[in-house]
PDB file of all heavy atoms in Angstrom:
ATOM      1  N   PRO A  11      -8.137   7.809  12.613  1.00 49.00           N
ATOM      2  CA  PRO A  11      -7.890   9.114  11.905  1.00 49.00           C
ATOM      3  C   PRO A  11      -7.436  10.220  12.840  1.00 49.00           C
ATOM      4  O   PRO A  11      -6.646  11.092  12.460  1.00 49.00           O
ATOM      5  CB  PRO A  11      -9.248   9.486  11.280  1.00 49.00           C
ATOM      6  CG  PRO A  11     -10.205   8.537  11.881  1.00 49.00           C
ATOM      7  CD  PRO A  11      -9.450   7.399  12.442  1.00 49.00           C
ATOM      8  N   HIS A  15      -3.735  12.343  12.708  1.00 50.00           N
ATOM      9  CA  HIS A  15      -3.602  13.795  12.670  1.00 50.00           C
ATOM     10  C   HIS A  15      -2.665  14.236  13.773  1.00 50.00           C
ATOM     11  O   HIS A  15      -3.084  14.559  14.856  1.00 50.00           O
ATOM     12  CB  HIS A  15      -4.970  14.496  12.802  1.00 50.00           C
ATOM     13  CG  HIS A  15      -4.847  15.956  12.819  1.00 50.00           C
ATOM     14  ND1 HIS A  15      -4.984  16.725  13.926  1.00 50.00           N
ATOM     15  CD2 HIS A  15      -4.566  16.819  11.805  1.00 50.00           C
ATOM     16  CE1 HIS A  15      -4.763  17.997  13.599  1.00 50.00           C
ATOM     17  NE2 HIS A  15      -4.551  18.092  12.330  1.00 50.00           N
ATOM     18  N   GLU A  26      -7.924  22.685  17.142  1.00 49.00           N
ATOM     19  CA  GLU A  26      -8.496  21.981  16.013  1.00 49.00           C
ATOM     20  C   GLU A  26      -9.854  22.547  15.744  1.00 49.00           C
ATOM     21  O   GLU A  26     -10.768  22.438  16.574  1.00 49.00           O
ATOM     22  CB  GLU A  26      -8.613  20.511  16.326  1.00 49.00           C
ATOM     23  CG  GLU A  26      -7.299  19.875  16.767  1.00 49.00           C
ATOM     24  CD  GLU A  26      -6.285  19.867  15.669  1.00 49.00           C
ATOM     25  OE1 GLU A  26      -6.709  19.827  14.488  1.00 49.00           O
ATOM     26  OE2 GLU A  26      -5.085  19.918  15.956  1.00 49.00           O
ATOM     27  N   LEU A  27     -10.055  23.113  14.564  1.00 49.00           N
ATOM     28  CA  LEU A  27     -11.339  23.723  14.233  1.00 49.00           C
ATOM     29  C   LEU A  27     -12.028  22.823  13.228  1.00 49.00           C
ATOM     30  O   LEU A  27     -11.422  22.289  12.338  1.00 49.00           O
ATOM     31  CB  LEU A  27     -11.127  25.101  13.618  1.00 49.00           C
ATOM     32  CG  LEU A  27     -10.724  26.264  14.538  1.00 49.00           C
ATOM     33  CD1 LEU A  27     -10.501  27.473  13.661  1.00 49.00           C
ATOM     34  CD2 LEU A  27     -11.838  26.486  15.521  1.00 49.00           C
ATOM     35  N   PHE A  28     -13.326  22.761  13.343  1.00 45.00           N
ATOM     36  CA  PHE A  28     -14.160  22.185  12.275  1.00 45.00           C
ATOM     37  C   PHE A  28     -13.959  20.710  12.034  1.00 45.00           C
ATOM     38  O   PHE A  28     -14.538  20.129  11.084  1.00 45.00           O
ATOM     39  CB  PHE A  28     -13.920  22.923  10.958  1.00 45.00           C
ATOM     40  CG  PHE A  28     -14.102  24.387  11.075  1.00 45.00           C
ATOM     41  CD1 PHE A  28     -12.997  25.221  10.750  1.00 45.00           C
ATOM     42  CD2 PHE A  28     -15.243  24.972  11.466  1.00 45.00           C
ATOM     43  CE1 PHE A  28     -13.107  26.619  10.879  1.00 45.00           C
ATOM     44  CE2 PHE A  28     -15.363  26.333  11.603  1.00 45.00           C
ATOM     45  CZ  PHE A  28     -14.309  27.153  11.299  1.00 45.00           C
ATOM     46  N   LEU A  29     -13.123  20.027  12.826  1.00 46.00           N
ATOM     47  CA  LEU A  29     -12.998  18.602  12.630  1.00 46.00           C
ATOM     48  C   LEU A  29     -14.191  17.922  13.309  1.00 46.00           C
ATOM     49  O   LEU A  29     -14.446  18.170  14.514  1.00 46.00           O
ATOM     50  CB  LEU A  29     -11.709  18.111  13.181  1.00 46.00           C
ATOM     51  CG  LEU A  29     -10.524  18.549  12.446  1.00 46.00           C
ATOM     52  CD1 LEU A  29      -9.219  18.073  13.068  1.00 46.00           C
ATOM     53  CD2 LEU A  29     -10.502  18.043  10.989  1.00 46.00           C
ATOM     54  N   PRO A  30     -14.953  17.169  12.573  1.00 48.00           N
ATOM     55  CA  PRO A  30     -16.194  16.641  13.091  1.00 48.00           C
ATOM     56  C   PRO A  30     -16.034  15.751  14.343  1.00 48.00           C
ATOM     57  O   PRO A  30     -16.926  15.652  15.139  1.00 48.00           O
ATOM     58  CB  PRO A  30     -16.753  15.814  11.954  1.00 48.00           C
ATOM     59  CG  PRO A  30     -15.715  15.668  10.993  1.00 48.00           C
ATOM     60  CD  PRO A  30     -14.731  16.771  11.182  1.00 48.00           C
ATOM     61  N   ASP A  31     -14.898  15.128  14.440  1.00 49.00           N
ATOM     62  CA  ASP A  31     -14.693  14.254  15.591  1.00 49.00           C
ATOM     63  C   ASP A  31     -13.972  14.899  16.786  1.00 49.00           C
ATOM     64  O   ASP A  31     -13.506  14.307  17.652  1.00 49.00           O
ATOM     65  CB  ASP A  31     -13.882  12.998  15.180  1.00 49.00           C
ATOM     66  CG  ASP A  31     -12.536  13.361  14.544  1.00 49.00           C
ATOM     67  OD1 ASP A  31     -12.370  14.531  14.135  1.00 49.00           O
ATOM     68  OD2 ASP A  31     -11.606  12.513  14.528  1.00 49.00           O
ATOM     69  N   ASP A  34     -14.405  21.780  19.219  1.00 55.00           N
ATOM     70  CA  ASP A  34     -13.759  22.988  18.727  1.00 55.00           C
ATOM     71  C   ASP A  34     -12.961  23.658  19.874  1.00 55.00           C
ATOM     72  O   ASP A  34     -13.564  24.031  20.833  1.00 55.00           O
ATOM     73  CB  ASP A  34     -14.748  23.981  18.121  1.00 55.00           C
ATOM     74  CG  ASP A  34     -15.349  23.430  16.876  1.00 55.00           C
ATOM     75  OD1 ASP A  34     -14.909  22.421  16.360  1.00 55.00           O
ATOM     76  OD2 ASP A  34     -16.274  24.064  16.356  1.00 55.00           O
ATOM     77  N   VAL A  51      -4.283  29.680  10.157  1.00 94.00           N
ATOM     78  CA  VAL A  51      -4.769  28.678  11.098  1.00 94.00           C
ATOM     79  C   VAL A  51      -6.120  28.105  10.594  1.00 94.00           C
ATOM     80  O   VAL A  51      -6.311  26.901  10.573  1.00 94.00           O
ATOM     81  CB  VAL A  51      -4.960  29.292  12.494  1.00 94.00           C
ATOM     82  CG1 VAL A  51      -5.682  28.273  13.378  1.00 94.00           C
ATOM     83  CG2 VAL A  51      -3.648  29.645  13.114  1.00 94.00           C
ATOM     84  N   ILE A  52      -6.975  29.026  10.156  1.00 94.00           N
ATOM     85  CA  ILE A  52      -8.274  28.559   9.608  1.00 94.00           C
ATOM     86  C   ILE A  52      -8.074  27.646   8.365  1.00 94.00           C
ATOM     87  O   ILE A  52      -8.687  26.589   8.270  1.00 94.00           O
ATOM     88  CB  ILE A  52      -9.149  29.762   9.240  1.00 94.00           C
ATOM     89  CG1 ILE A  52      -9.362  30.677  10.463  1.00 94.00           C
ATOM     90  CG2 ILE A  52     -10.463  29.277   8.658  1.00 94.00           C
ATOM     91  CD1 ILE A  52     -10.140  30.053  11.600  1.00 94.00           C
ATOM     92  N   ILE A  53      -7.255  28.152   7.440  1.00 96.00           N
ATOM     93  CA  ILE A  53      -7.026  27.308   6.249  1.00 96.00           C
ATOM     94  C   ILE A  53      -6.438  25.967   6.629  1.00 96.00           C
ATOM     95  O   ILE A  53      -6.823  24.951   6.105  1.00 96.00           O
ATOM     96  CB  ILE A  53      -6.069  28.086   5.264  1.00 96.00           C
ATOM     97  CG1 ILE A  53      -6.841  29.308   4.686  1.00 96.00           C
ATOM     98  CG2 ILE A  53      -5.565  27.193   4.164  1.00 96.00           C
ATOM     99  CD1 ILE A  53      -8.068  28.970   3.863  1.00 96.00           C
ATOM    100  N   HIS A  54      -5.468  26.004   7.522  1.00 96.00           N
ATOM    101  CA  HIS A  54      -4.836  24.733   7.987  1.00 96.00           C
ATOM    102  C   HIS A  54      -5.912  23.734   8.486  1.00 96.00           C
ATOM    103  O   HIS A  54      -5.920  22.597   8.050  1.00 96.00           O
ATOM    104  CB  HIS A  54      -3.839  25.121   9.144  1.00 96.00           C
ATOM    105  CG  HIS A  54      -3.108  23.941   9.686  1.00 96.00           C
ATOM    106  ND1 HIS A  54      -1.732  23.879   9.649  1.00 96.00           N
ATOM    107  CD2 HIS A  54      -3.519  22.754  10.231  1.00 96.00           C
ATOM    108  CE1 HIS A  54      -1.341  22.702  10.183  1.00 96.00           C
ATOM    109  NE2 HIS A  54      -2.418  21.998  10.541  1.00 96.00           N
ATOM    110  N   GLU A  55      -6.809  24.266   9.325  1.00 94.00           N
ATOM    111  CA  GLU A  55      -7.796  23.348   9.868  1.00 94.00           C
ATOM    112  C   GLU A  55      -8.800  22.920   8.808  1.00 94.00           C
ATOM    113  O   GLU A  55      -9.268  21.753   8.788  1.00 94.00           O
ATOM    114  CB  GLU A  55      -8.519  23.972  11.044  1.00 94.00           C
ATOM    115  CG  GLU A  55      -7.600  24.335  12.227  1.00 94.00           C
ATOM    116  CD  GLU A  55      -6.839  23.116  12.741  1.00 94.00           C
ATOM    117  OE1 GLU A  55      -7.262  21.947  12.540  1.00 94.00           O
ATOM    118  OE2 GLU A  55      -5.756  23.277  13.319  1.00 94.00           O
ATOM    119  N   LEU A  56      -9.173  23.823   7.912  1.00 96.00           N
ATOM    120  CA  LEU A  56     -10.124  23.476   6.885  1.00 96.00           C
ATOM    121  C   LEU A  56      -9.529  22.435   5.922  1.00 96.00           C
ATOM    122  O   LEU A  56     -10.184  21.538   5.507  1.00 96.00           O
ATOM    123  CB  LEU A  56     -10.499  24.726   6.036  1.00 96.00           C
ATOM    124  CG  LEU A  56     -11.437  25.705   6.748  1.00 96.00           C
ATOM    125  CD1 LEU A  56     -11.662  26.954   5.846  1.00 96.00           C
ATOM    126  CD2 LEU A  56     -12.783  25.070   7.080  1.00 96.00           C
ATOM    127  N   CYS A  57      -8.219  22.554   5.660  1.00 97.00           N
ATOM    128  CA  CYS A  57      -7.556  21.575   4.808  1.00 97.00           C
ATOM    129  C   CYS A  57      -7.606  20.152   5.394  1.00 97.00           C
ATOM    130  O   CYS A  57      -7.599  19.145   4.710  1.00 97.00           O
ATOM    131  CB  CYS A  57      -6.142  22.017   4.477  1.00 97.00           C
ATOM    132  SG  CYS A  57      -6.055  23.369   3.331  1.00 97.00           S
ATOM    133  N   HIS A  58      -7.623  20.119   6.742  1.00 95.00           N
ATOM    134  CA  HIS A  58      -7.630  18.825   7.408  1.00 95.00           C
ATOM    135  C   HIS A  58      -9.004  18.110   7.206  1.00 95.00           C
ATOM    136  O   HIS A  58      -9.106  16.903   7.466  1.00 95.00           O
ATOM    137  CB  HIS A  58      -7.391  18.964   8.918  1.00 95.00           C
ATOM    138  CG  HIS A  58      -5.946  18.985   9.265  1.00 95.00           C
ATOM    139  ND1 HIS A  58      -5.047  18.102   8.734  1.00 95.00           N
ATOM    140  CD2 HIS A  58      -5.231  19.786  10.085  1.00 95.00           C
ATOM    141  CE1 HIS A  58      -3.849  18.357   9.201  1.00 95.00           C
ATOM    142  NE2 HIS A  58      -3.962  19.363  10.024  1.00 95.00           N
ATOM    143  N   ILE A  59     -10.026  18.827   6.776  1.00 95.00           N
ATOM    144  CA  ILE A  59     -11.288  18.148   6.427  1.00 95.00           C
ATOM    145  C   ILE A  59     -11.024  17.198   5.249  1.00 95.00           C
ATOM    146  O   ILE A  59     -11.527  16.085   5.179  1.00 95.00           O
ATOM    147  CB  ILE A  59     -12.340  19.182   6.054  1.00 95.00           C
ATOM    148  CG1 ILE A  59     -12.694  19.997   7.316  1.00 95.00           C
ATOM    149  CG2 ILE A  59     -13.586  18.489   5.472  1.00 95.00           C
ATOM    150  CD1 ILE A  59     -13.625  21.149   7.084  1.00 95.00           C
ATOM    151  N   LYS A  60     -10.195  17.647   4.336  1.00 95.00           N
ATOM    152  CA  LYS A  60      -9.875  16.881   3.147  1.00 95.00           C
ATOM    153  C   LYS A  60      -8.703  15.967   3.386  1.00 95.00           C
ATOM    154  O   LYS A  60      -8.692  14.775   3.010  1.00 95.00           O
ATOM    155  CB  LYS A  60      -9.518  17.814   1.973  1.00 95.00           C
ATOM    156  CG  LYS A  60     -10.713  18.331   1.241  1.00 95.00           C
ATOM    157  CD  LYS A  60     -11.021  17.444   0.080  1.00 95.00           C
ATOM    158  CE  LYS A  60     -12.036  18.048  -0.875  1.00 95.00           C
ATOM    159  NZ  LYS A  60     -12.672  16.954  -1.652  1.00 95.00           N
ATOM    160  N   VAL A  61      -7.663  16.475   3.996  1.00 96.00           N
ATOM    161  CA  VAL A  61      -6.435  15.699   4.203  1.00 96.00           C
ATOM    162  C   VAL A  61      -6.088  15.740   5.645  1.00 96.00           C
ATOM    163  O   VAL A  61      -5.808  16.771   6.250  1.00 96.00           O
ATOM    164  CB  VAL A  61      -5.247  16.328   3.364  1.00 96.00           C
ATOM    165  CG1 VAL A  61      -3.999  15.496   3.493  1.00 96.00           C
ATOM    166  CG2 VAL A  61      -5.633  16.556   1.968  1.00 96.00           C
ATOM    167  N   ARG A  62      -6.113  14.539   6.288  1.00 94.00           N
ATOM    168  CA  ARG A  62      -5.991  14.514   7.777  1.00 94.00           C
ATOM    169  C   ARG A  62      -4.587  14.368   8.251  1.00 94.00           C
ATOM    170  O   ARG A  62      -4.394  14.187   9.461  1.00 94.00           O
ATOM    171  CB  ARG A  62      -6.899  13.366   8.300  1.00 94.00           C
ATOM    172  CG  ARG A  62      -8.327  13.729   8.188  1.00 94.00           C
ATOM    173  CD  ARG A  62      -9.204  12.657   8.822  1.00 94.00           C
ATOM    174  NE  ARG A  62     -10.524  13.185   9.112  1.00 94.00           N
ATOM    175  CZ  ARG A  62     -10.834  13.677  10.285  1.00 94.00           C
ATOM    176  NH1 ARG A  62      -9.982  13.607  11.291  1.00 94.00           N
ATOM    177  NH2 ARG A  62     -12.005  14.149  10.494  1.00 94.00           N
ATOM    178  N   HIS A  63      -3.647  14.392   7.396  1.00 95.00           N
ATOM    179  CA  HIS A  63      -2.229  14.250   7.854  1.00 95.00           C
ATOM    180  C   HIS A  63      -1.461  15.479   7.434  1.00 95.00           C
ATOM    181  O   HIS A  63      -2.014  16.398   6.807  1.00 95.00           O
ATOM    182  CB  HIS A  63      -1.611  13.036   7.298  1.00 95.00           C
ATOM    183  CG  HIS A  63      -1.760  12.893   5.745  1.00 95.00           C
ATOM    184  ND1 HIS A  63      -1.040  13.744   4.905  1.00 95.00           N
ATOM    185  CD2 HIS A  63      -2.538  12.172   4.951  1.00 95.00           C
ATOM    186  CE1 HIS A  63      -1.356  13.458   3.681  1.00 95.00           C
ATOM    187  NE2 HIS A  63      -2.325  12.531   3.696  1.00 95.00           N
ATOM    188  N   PHE A  68      -1.061  17.608   1.889  1.00 97.00           N
ATOM    189  CA  PHE A  68      -1.647  18.566   2.808  1.00 97.00           C
ATOM    190  C   PHE A  68      -1.077  19.941   2.586  1.00 97.00           C
ATOM    191  O   PHE A  68      -1.750  20.967   2.397  1.00 97.00           O
ATOM    192  CB  PHE A  68      -1.485  18.127   4.250  1.00 97.00           C
ATOM    193  CG  PHE A  68      -1.974  19.146   5.233  1.00 97.00           C
ATOM    194  CD1 PHE A  68      -3.318  19.268   5.528  1.00 97.00           C
ATOM    195  CD2 PHE A  68      -1.064  20.009   5.903  1.00 97.00           C
ATOM    196  CE1 PHE A  68      -3.817  20.244   6.413  1.00 97.00           C
ATOM    197  CE2 PHE A  68      -1.526  21.006   6.746  1.00 97.00           C
ATOM    198  CZ  PHE A  68      -2.894  21.120   7.026  1.00 97.00           C
ATOM    199  N   MET A  71      -2.036  21.754  -0.547  1.00 98.00           N
ATOM    200  CA  MET A  71      -3.343  22.341  -0.473  1.00 98.00           C
ATOM    201  C   MET A  71      -3.290  23.632   0.355  1.00 98.00           C
ATOM    202  O   MET A  71      -3.892  24.657  -0.070  1.00 98.00           O
ATOM    203  CB  MET A  71      -4.326  21.368   0.171  1.00 98.00           C
ATOM    204  CG  MET A  71      -5.761  21.857   0.130  1.00 98.00           C
ATOM    205  SD  MET A  71      -6.899  20.711   0.964  1.00 98.00           S
ATOM    206  CE  MET A  71      -6.826  19.315  -0.105  1.00 98.00           C
ATOM    207  N   VAL A  72      -2.593  23.632   1.430  1.00 98.00           N
ATOM    208  CA  VAL A  72      -2.485  24.836   2.262  1.00 98.00           C
ATOM    209  C   VAL A  72      -1.847  25.949   1.423  1.00 98.00           C
ATOM    210  O   VAL A  72      -2.324  27.133   1.418  1.00 98.00           O
ATOM    211  CB  VAL A  72      -1.646  24.604   3.511  1.00 98.00           C
ATOM    212  CG1 VAL A  72      -1.326  25.906   4.226  1.00 98.00           C
ATOM    213  CG2 VAL A  72      -2.364  23.658   4.464  1.00 98.00           C
TER     214      VAL A  72
END
Side-chain angles (χ1 to χ4, degrees):
H15 180 255
E26 305 294 331
L27 286 177
F28 308 119
L29 291 177
D31 58 338
D34 290 353
V51 172
I52 302 294
I53 291 298
H54 182 122
E55 298 304 337
L56 287 176
C57 287
H58 275 315
I59 293 171
K60 278 268 190 200
V61 185
R62 287 185 161 263
H63 53 71
F68 175 79
M71 187 182 295
V72 170

